[in-house]
Amino acid sequence: MPQPSRATALIERSPFFQAAGPAAMAELLRPSFTQILPRGAVLFEEGDDPDFLHVVLEGRVGLQASVPDRGKTMVELFGPGELCLAAAVVLRLPYLATAVALTEIRVLMIPGEVFRDTISRSRELCQATTELLARHWRLMVDQVVDLKLRSAEDRLARFIARRVDEESGTGVVDLPEPRTAIAARLGMTPETLSR
């Protein structure tokens, strides 16, 4: 029996694809492909139309937003198993942020039209997508509360705690992203983060 490729093994471990089920997964994977991109590569730009759904298989991706004459900031950080701005793909609306590889990444590229078509026919994929969008909404509300009500120390502690293995509750936390990206995501300067 042939061994599955590294990309296939990573895809099968993704909680999103486990929730979607093997039938929907097979349908989505047929026209999809993976890419390995270096640190600094741009997956998509703010304002682009969503041609693909991007699933991070390895590495870290940062979502960066900008305002003319005001600069840019890191809105969110995504790691393995995460889908980048799925709402834009579902709604056929332009991306509200730019996705930048913060480390070398392996990413699954699912054609947006195939994703939308499969959602309309697969109850399991529709449910998995609904749950994903609900989790992202809760993440956004939690981030707003962090930025408006919590101290820098509390925001950093919560960020690190989310990286701890849930089963063990202890362990070493991996922070592969650049310090500047983490600081921007947490709404602080790199100097404050270092302190």
Side-chain angles (χ1 to χ4, degrees):
M1 180 178 201
Q3 290 255 347
S5 71
R6 178 166 177 75
T8 301
L10 292 168
I11 292 163
E12 288 174 350
R13 279 197 306 240
S14 164
F16 178 78
F17 281 106
Q18 288 175 6
M25 188 168 126
E27 198 167 334
L28 290 176
L29 293 179
R30 209 170 294 121
S32 301
F33 58 95
T34 59
Q35 287 188 318
I36 297 174
L37 300 170
R39 179 180 174 174
V42 174
L43 285 172
F44 52 80
E45 295 270 354
E46 185 176 345
D48 284 353
D49 289 327
D51 294 327
F52 292 94
L53 178 65
H54 301 83
V55 183
V56 181
L57 300 177
E58 290 182 302
R60 294 279 175 183
V61 172
L63 293 181
Q64 195 174 63
S66 63
V67 173
D69 301 325
R70 295 292 306 237
K72 55 187 170 182
T73 191
M74 197 62 60
V75 176
E76 191 52 76
L77 307 174
F78 287 122
E82 295 280 355
L83 285 69
C84 296
L85 297 184
V89 178
V90 171
L91 296 172
R92 294 182 182 99
L93 292 173
Y95 292 115
L96 296 176
T98 297
V100 180
L102 300 175
T103 64
E104 180 178 273
I105 60 170
R106 182 185 304 254
V107 63
L108 175 65
M109 311 280 286
I110 302 170
E113 196 58 47
V114 171
F115 183 68
R116 287 186 294 271
D117 183 55
T118 308
I119 284 175
S120 70
R121 292 182 284 102
S122 168
R123 182 185 160 287
E124 291 82 8
L125 181 59
C126 186
Q127 178 69 30
T129 303
T130 301
E131 289 174 8
L132 170 88
L133 295 173
R135 276 194 306 278
H136 284 184
W137 181 83
R138 289 179 55 82
L139 177 71
M140 184 219 37
V141 170
D142 189 55
Q143 186 179 24
V144 170
V145 170
D146 263 3
L147 293 172
K148 290 185 174 243
L149 298 174
R150 292 195 175 95
S151 69
E153 293 84 4
D154 288 345
R155 292 194 305 269
L156 178 58
R158 287 169 50 84
F159 179 81
I160 291 171
R162 287 186 192 110
R163 300 272 177 108
V164 173
D165 178 46
E166 288 183 24
E167 288 183 22
S168 69
T170 62
V172 176
V173 174
D174 185 28
L175 299 174
E177 304 90 349
R179 184 179 54 175
T180 54
I182 294 171
R185 161 55 181 87
L186 295 174
M188 61 183 77
T189 66
E191 295 77 24
T192 300
L193 177 67
S194 294
R195 284 197 302 271

